[in-house]
Amino acid sequence: MKLVRLIANLGYGSRREVALMFREGRITDAQGEVLYADDRVPHETVRVDGEALDPPAGLVIALHKPTGYTCSTRDPARMVYDLLPPRFRLRNPLLSTVGRLDRDTSGLLLLTDDGQLLHRIISPKSRVPKIYEARLAQDLRGDEAELFASGTLVLESETTPLAPASLNILGPRHARLTITEGRYHQVRRMFAATGNAVTQLQRVAVGALALDELALEPGQWCALDEVQVARVFEP
Ligand code: URA
C-alpha cells in the first residue's frame, strides 16, 4: 500500500492532509531520510515527526474500562474512545469494541479493527467465557448456581433460555459469574431474575486473558500481542 494511504488510514489526517505532511518533510524513515507519498516501505521503518507510526491494521487493544464511560458512539456521555488517542477514532478499518460493557460496569474491554476476530470472540458459538465479579444488594439465596447452570433460565422479555453459566460464590453478596453469551445487560438481568440486584459489576477476564495480568489501572489501555490474543480462546 502506498504510504499516503497507509498513514491516512491510521487516522493521521485525510489523504490531502497527509500528502501535505509529506511535502513538509515530516514523514521520514528511521534514519531521518524524507519519504514520499507513493513510497512502499515497511510499516516499522516509518516515522512521523520522528515518532514511530501507530500499530498497523489488525490492532487489538485491552482497556481497563472505568465506570461512567459508554461503549456507544451515539451517546452524548463520556465514551470509551475518549480514553484512547483521538487518532484511533479516525482509523480505517474502524476500531470497534468487542461487545459492550454498560456504563456502570468496569473491567476488561477489548477493541479491535479485525472484524473476523471480533466475530469469533462475541459469537455464542465460540463459547468464549466472559468472567464477571458482581457485588449484590442482598444475600445470595443459595440456589442461583444451580439455576444459572441449568440452561433453562429465560430472562424477562426473552423467549430463548440462556446457555448454562457458572457461578462461584465469593461471599454472601459477592460472586463470580462466567457466561458465554453477551445478551443485553445479561449479568444484571440474571441476578434480577433471582430477586437480587447488582450494585457493582466488573469484567475480570475474557477467556483466559485476565485483567489482573495486564496490570492496567482504570482508564489505561495497552495493545495486545498475538500470544495475549490467543489467551482469549484458551479455556
Ligand atoms: N452484563 C451486564 O449486565 N452488564 C455488562 O456490562 C456486561 C454484562
Side-chain angles (χ1 to χ4, degrees), residues 53-68:
L53 277 185
D54 289 344
L59 177 62
V60 187
I61 280 177
L63 170 71
H64 184 162
K65 179 192 172 300
T67 56

PDB file of all heavy atoms in Angstrom, residues 53-68:
ATOM      1  N   LEU A  53       5.171   5.027  13.756  1.00  0.00           N
ATOM      2  CA  LEU A  53       3.740   5.011  13.387  1.00  0.00           C
ATOM      3  C   LEU A  53       2.932   4.229  14.416  1.00  0.00           C
ATOM      4  O   LEU A  53       3.457   3.316  15.050  1.00  0.00           O
ATOM      5  CB  LEU A  53       3.565   4.289  12.047  1.00  0.00           C
ATOM      6  CG  LEU A  53       3.786   5.048  10.756  1.00  0.00           C
ATOM      7  CD1 LEU A  53       3.416   4.131   9.581  1.00  0.00           C
ATOM      8  CD2 LEU A  53       2.934   6.309  10.715  1.00  0.00           C
ATOM      9  N   ASP A  54       1.646   4.575  14.546  1.00  0.00           N
ATOM     10  CA  ASP A  54       0.728   3.771  15.358  1.00  0.00           C
ATOM     11  C   ASP A  54       0.709   2.350  14.811  1.00  0.00           C
ATOM     12  O   ASP A  54       1.051   2.128  13.637  1.00  0.00           O
ATOM     13  CB  ASP A  54      -0.701   4.343  15.260  1.00  0.00           C
ATOM     14  CG  ASP A  54      -0.836   5.671  16.005  1.00  0.00           C
ATOM     15  OD1 ASP A  54       0.045   5.994  16.817  1.00  0.00           O
ATOM     16  OD2 ASP A  54      -1.834   6.372  15.747  1.00  0.00           O
ATOM     17  N   PRO A  55       0.261   1.383  15.632  1.00  0.00           N
ATOM     18  CA  PRO A  55       0.241  -0.004  15.160  1.00  0.00           C
ATOM     19  C   PRO A  55      -0.594  -0.167  13.889  1.00  0.00           C
ATOM     20  O   PRO A  55      -1.585   0.556  13.708  1.00  0.00           O
ATOM     21  CB  PRO A  55      -0.398  -0.774  16.319  1.00  0.00           C
ATOM     22  CG  PRO A  55      -0.300   0.124  17.504  1.00  0.00           C
ATOM     23  CD  PRO A  55      -0.256   1.527  16.986  1.00  0.00           C
ATOM     24  N   PRO A  56      -0.191  -1.114  13.030  1.00  0.00           N
ATOM     25  CA  PRO A  56      -0.920  -1.316  11.766  1.00  0.00           C
ATOM     26  C   PRO A  56      -2.293  -1.941  11.992  1.00  0.00           C
ATOM     27  O   PRO A  56      -2.634  -2.305  13.116  1.00  0.00           O
ATOM     28  CB  PRO A  56      -0.014  -2.293  11.006  1.00  0.00           C
ATOM     29  CG  PRO A  56       0.797  -2.983  12.035  1.00  0.00           C
ATOM     30  CD  PRO A  56       0.934  -2.035  13.189  1.00  0.00           C
ATOM     31  N   ALA A  57      -3.055  -2.087  10.908  1.00  0.00           N
ATOM     32  CA  ALA A  57      -4.352  -2.769  10.974  1.00  0.00           C
ATOM     33  C   ALA A  57      -4.130  -4.158  11.564  1.00  0.00           C
ATOM     34  O   ALA A  57      -3.073  -4.757  11.383  1.00  0.00           O
ATOM     35  CB  ALA A  57      -4.957  -2.847   9.584  1.00  0.00           C
ATOM     36  N   GLY A  58      -5.184  -4.652  12.264  1.00  0.00           N
ATOM     37  CA  GLY A  58      -5.031  -5.915  12.994  1.00  0.00           C
ATOM     38  C   GLY A  58      -4.774  -5.612  14.462  1.00  0.00           C
ATOM     39  O   GLY A  58      -4.334  -6.459  15.217  1.00  0.00           O
ATOM     40  N   LEU A  59      -5.076  -4.366  14.830  1.00  0.00           N
ATOM     41  CA  LEU A  59      -4.816  -3.902  16.199  1.00  0.00           C
ATOM     42  C   LEU A  59      -5.853  -4.494  17.170  1.00  0.00           C
ATOM     43  O   LEU A  59      -7.039  -4.518  16.874  1.00  0.00           O
ATOM     44  CB  LEU A  59      -4.927  -2.365  16.197  1.00  0.00           C
ATOM     45  CG  LEU A  59      -4.773  -1.626  17.523  1.00  0.00           C
ATOM     46  CD1 LEU A  59      -3.396  -1.859  18.132  1.00  0.00           C
ATOM     47  CD2 LEU A  59      -5.001  -0.119  17.318  1.00  0.00           C
ATOM     48  N   VAL A  60      -5.362  -4.972  18.303  1.00  0.00           N
ATOM     49  CA  VAL A  60      -6.257  -5.415  19.380  1.00  0.00           C
ATOM     50  C   VAL A  60      -5.821  -4.691  20.654  1.00  0.00           C
ATOM     51  O   VAL A  60      -4.650  -4.735  21.022  1.00  0.00           O
ATOM     52  CB  VAL A  60      -6.206  -6.942  19.605  1.00  0.00           C
ATOM     53  CG1 VAL A  60      -7.278  -7.368  20.609  1.00  0.00           C
ATOM     54  CG2 VAL A  60      -6.366  -7.702  18.305  1.00  0.00           C
ATOM     55  N   ILE A  61      -6.765  -4.029  21.264  1.00  0.00           N
ATOM     56  CA  ILE A  61      -6.478  -3.230  22.454  1.00  0.00           C
ATOM     57  C   ILE A  61      -7.238  -3.793  23.647  1.00  0.00           C
ATOM     58  O   ILE A  61      -8.393  -4.214  23.514  1.00  0.00           O
ATOM     59  CB  ILE A  61      -6.932  -1.767  22.197  1.00  0.00           C
ATOM     60  CG1 ILE A  61      -5.875  -1.056  21.361  1.00  0.00           C
ATOM     61  CG2 ILE A  61      -7.185  -1.009  23.479  1.00  0.00           C
ATOM     62  CD1 ILE A  61      -6.254   0.347  20.995  1.00  0.00           C
ATOM     63  N   ALA A  62      -6.572  -3.795  24.797  1.00  0.00           N
ATOM     64  CA  ALA A  62      -7.264  -4.098  26.057  1.00  0.00           C
ATOM     65  C   ALA A  62      -7.356  -2.793  26.828  1.00  0.00           C
ATOM     66  O   ALA A  62      -6.343  -2.112  27.032  1.00  0.00           O
ATOM     67  CB  ALA A  62      -6.482  -5.129  26.853  1.00  0.00           C
ATOM     68  N   LEU A  63      -8.557  -2.467  27.242  1.00  0.00           N
ATOM     69  CA  LEU A  63      -8.785  -1.242  28.017  1.00  0.00           C
ATOM     70  C   LEU A  63      -9.362  -1.631  29.366  1.00  0.00           C
ATOM     71  O   LEU A  63     -10.255  -2.486  29.434  1.00  0.00           O
ATOM     72  CB  LEU A  63      -9.780  -0.348  27.253  1.00  0.00           C
ATOM     73  CG  LEU A  63     -10.329   0.874  28.000  1.00  0.00           C
ATOM     74  CD1 LEU A  63      -9.240   1.940  28.176  1.00  0.00           C
ATOM     75  CD2 LEU A  63     -11.522   1.486  27.248  1.00  0.00           C
ATOM     76  N   HIS A  64      -8.841  -1.022  30.428  1.00  0.00           N
ATOM     77  CA  HIS A  64      -9.494  -1.170  31.733  1.00  0.00           C
ATOM     78  C   HIS A  64     -10.565  -0.088  31.791  1.00  0.00           C
ATOM     79  O   HIS A  64     -10.275   1.061  32.081  1.00  0.00           O
ATOM     80  CB  HIS A  64      -8.479  -1.014  32.864  1.00  0.00           C
ATOM     81  CG  HIS A  64      -9.070  -1.261  34.216  1.00  0.00           C
ATOM     82  ND1 HIS A  64      -8.316  -1.535  35.326  1.00  0.00           N
ATOM     83  CD2 HIS A  64     -10.355  -1.280  34.650  1.00  0.00           C
ATOM     84  CE1 HIS A  64      -9.109  -1.697  36.378  1.00  0.00           C
ATOM     85  NE2 HIS A  64     -10.351  -1.528  35.988  1.00  0.00           N
ATOM     86  N   LYS A  65     -11.773  -0.505  31.435  1.00  0.00           N
ATOM     87  CA  LYS A  65     -12.868   0.483  31.365  1.00  0.00           C
ATOM     88  C   LYS A  65     -13.273   0.894  32.785  1.00  0.00           C
ATOM     89  O   LYS A  65     -13.606   0.039  33.600  1.00  0.00           O
ATOM     90  CB  LYS A  65     -14.071  -0.121  30.627  1.00  0.00           C
ATOM     91  CG  LYS A  65     -15.263   0.825  30.541  1.00  0.00           C
ATOM     92  CD  LYS A  65     -16.499   0.080  30.069  1.00  0.00           C
ATOM     93  CE  LYS A  65     -17.757   0.920  30.160  1.00  0.00           C
ATOM     94  NZ  LYS A  65     -18.079   1.390  31.517  1.00  0.00           N
ATOM     95  N   PRO A  66     -13.269   2.202  33.032  1.00  0.00           N
ATOM     96  CA  PRO A  66     -13.803   2.652  34.321  1.00  0.00           C
ATOM     97  C   PRO A  66     -15.326   2.752  34.227  1.00  0.00           C
ATOM     98  O   PRO A  66     -15.870   2.798  33.119  1.00  0.00           O
ATOM     99  CB  PRO A  66     -13.193   4.055  34.480  1.00  0.00           C
ATOM    100  CG  PRO A  66     -12.425   4.349  33.225  1.00  0.00           C
ATOM    101  CD  PRO A  66     -12.755   3.317  32.217  1.00  0.00           C
ATOM    102  N   THR A  67     -16.009   2.840  35.357  1.00  0.00           N
ATOM    103  CA  THR A  67     -17.444   3.115  35.291  1.00  0.00           C
ATOM    104  C   THR A  67     -17.612   4.554  34.780  1.00  0.00           C
ATOM    105  O   THR A  67     -16.670   5.355  34.824  1.00  0.00           O
ATOM    106  CB  THR A  67     -18.113   2.982  36.682  1.00  0.00           C
ATOM    107  OG1 THR A  67     -17.443   3.849  37.571  1.00  0.00           O
ATOM    108  CG2 THR A  67     -18.049   1.555  37.199  1.00  0.00           C
ATOM    109  N   GLY A  68     -18.797   4.850  34.259  1.00  0.00           N
ATOM    110  CA  GLY A  68     -19.076   6.227  33.816  1.00  0.00           C
ATOM    111  C   GLY A  68     -18.770   6.463  32.349  1.00  0.00           C
ATOM    112  O   GLY A  68     -18.996   7.564  31.855  1.00  0.00           O
TER     113      GLY A  68
END
